[in-house]
Amino acid sequence: MPRTFALLSLMLLISCGFGGRSETPSTAETRAKFGFSSDIVEICDAPGVLGVRIDPVGRGSSNASCGFNDAVRVYAVGGVALNPPARMQCRTARITSAWMSEAVLPTFRDARRDLDSMRVAADYSCRTRNSRRGARISEHAKGTAIDISAFRMADGETLTVLGDWRNNNGGFMKRVFRASCRIWHTSIGPDGDRFHQDHFHFDATRDRGPNTWCR
Ligand SMILES: [Zn+2]
């Protein structure tokens, strides 16, 4: 019996030591961690995406190209909080789930960084691309885009796109960005253009697949 116990302990140690936090925390664990109320539930058939359904967004705005149905407000993905919570289509929520589990969390885990939350710089916005007059309508107007400006770790360390892209954390920030490109249709960071010095832009247009635009 003691031998069995020792063996079990060893196996547990090995699985924890090498696997890290490989399992997605449960809804209850994530609610408790961030103090979410019980109406924050898993939504959109998107594993690990916690939020609430909301009314269609942006309908009745003066620009008919703006707004979307099947709308949700996402509070956390894969145990990582979105700060503030982000409005998006359910379809985008499912891509966000894949982005977190296949790109973001593995990259942070590899670097032994325990990601706690992400700063959302923009979600829905009825505007043109980069808010320029005459430009095409932004993916932000359709609930298919999210901008991320910072990543906060459980120990309080915070990496910002503006501050860390070009310093000694730059290699890690670029790994996070490039991994994200494999999930989203369009990914734009500080090397992309002057409008993206302080955030990563990710979006998922309906008609084309991931990794179409990554710079
Ligand atoms: Zn954006």
Side-chain angles (χ1 to χ4, degrees):
M1 190 63 182
R3 237 171 108 172
T4 314
F5 179 74
L7 190 64
L8 278 173
S9 306
L10 186 66
M11 284 166 67
L12 198 67
L13 200 68
I14 288 171
S15 63
C16 291
F18 289 90
R21 293 191 325 146
S22 57
E23 281 181 26
T24 305
S26 70
T27 297
E29 285 169 341
T30 302
R31 270 200 208 116
K33 181 177 177 185
F34 299 113
F36 295 157
S37 63
S38 57
D39 58 352
I40 308 247
V41 294
E42 193 166 272
I43 46 173
C44 303
D45 293 320
V49 174
L50 301 192
V52 291
R53 287 211 155 265
I54 56 176
D55 290 337
V57 171
R59 297 301 182 205
S61 52
S62 55
N63 187 334
S65 302
C66 290
F68 57 97
N69 300 320
D70 202 17
V72 290
R73 190 186 302 276
V74 175
Y75 283 71
V77 186
V80 175
L82 299 187
N83 254 326
R87 294 161 295 174
M88 63 183 74
Q89 292 182 26
C90 257
R91 190 181 70 87
T92 314
R94 289 190 285 274
I95 294 167
T96 304
S97 168
W99 171 54
M100 191 60 67
S101 64
E102 296 170 30
V104 176
L105 287 177
T107 307
F108 276 79
R109 254 183 235 125
D110 285 351
R112 301 195 177 278
R113 285 185 153 118
D114 187 4
L115 182 60
D116 186 76
S117 63
M118 300 193 294
R119 167 66 49 180
V120 176
D123 59 348
Y124 170 74
S125 178
C126 181
R127 59 174 171 80
T128 56
R129 288 183 178 181
N130 302 315
S131 303
R132 295 169 100 186
R133 191 188 294 265
R136 281 172 59 184
I137 193 81
S138 169
E139 290 299 313
H140 285 284
K142 307 177 203 168
T144 53
I146 189 166
D147 289 350
I148 302 294
S149 58
F151 302 87
R152 187 179 189 279
M153 265 45 74
D155 63 6
E157 182 194 14
T158 299
L159 299 176
T160 67
V161 175
L162 182 65
D164 290 292
W165 184 261
R166 299 184 204 285
N167 70 11
N168 56 359
N169 288 313
F172 175 72
M173 295 297 278
K174 288 170 179 86
R175 283 201 297 283
V176 173
F177 180 73
R178 281 195 298 267
S180 303
C181 286
R182 296 198 298 269
I183 307 294
W184 297 97
H185 168 270
T186 299
S187 306
I188 309 172
D191 290 346
D193 60 39
R194 65 191 171 92
F195 301 105
H196 296 83
Q197 294 307 301
D198 62 357
H199 68 276
F200 295 157
H201 167 96
F202 302 118
D203 75 58
T205 59
R206 181 171 285 282
D207 49 337
R208 279 176 290 173
N211 211 5
T212 302
W213 190 269
C214 173
R215 58 180 66 176

